[in-house]
Amino acid sequence: GTMLMGSDTGGEWSSSYKQGNNFSISVNADSKDEADRIFNGLSAGGQVTMPMNKTFWGDYFGMCADKFGINWMMSFNEQKQQ
């Protein structure tokens, strides 16, 4: 199935707030390769705010803003795939 998740931004992260830029859309991929492919497509012409990498919570994760200014969070959790 498909699950759409989001995250809002506030506090010290909101110093450059503009209506519409205070949320991120979260995508969970089925593989590391798919995560890289989607992330590279979304970040093309935009800005990478956190490159794809392993995190302390175990996910392969990254964040970017696309060329339209939409914020994205990309994630792959290998443990959930096993």
Side-chain angles (χ1 to χ4, degrees):
T2 300
M3 181 185 305
L4 177 64
M5 298 173 64
S7 177
D8 62 349
T9 304
E12 66 186 51
W13 290 88
S14 64
S15 62
S16 61
Y17 168 76
K18 293 180 186 162
Q19 186 171 351
N21 77 347
N22 63 326
F23 66 93
S24 297
I25 300 171
S26 177
V27 178
N28 291 312
D30 291 329
S31 71
K32 187 176 178 181
D33 288 340
E34 181 184 38
D36 284 333
R37 181 183 60 78
I38 294 170
F39 185 82
N40 290 337
L42 289 170
S43 64
Q47 180 180 11
V48 174
T49 52
M50 181 179 175
M52 294 298 294
N53 208 342
K54 283 275 199 178
T55 62
F56 69 89
W57 65 87
D59 283 8
Y60 182 63
F61 179 84
M63 298 188 312
C64 67
D66 66 21
K67 63 184 176 183
F68 304 105
I70 305 298
N71 296 310
W72 295 88
M73 297 184 296
M74 185 73 244
S75 188
F76 167 64
N77 185 304
E78 189 173 26
Q79 297 300 320
K80 289 183 182 178
Q81 300 300 315
Q82 297 176 358

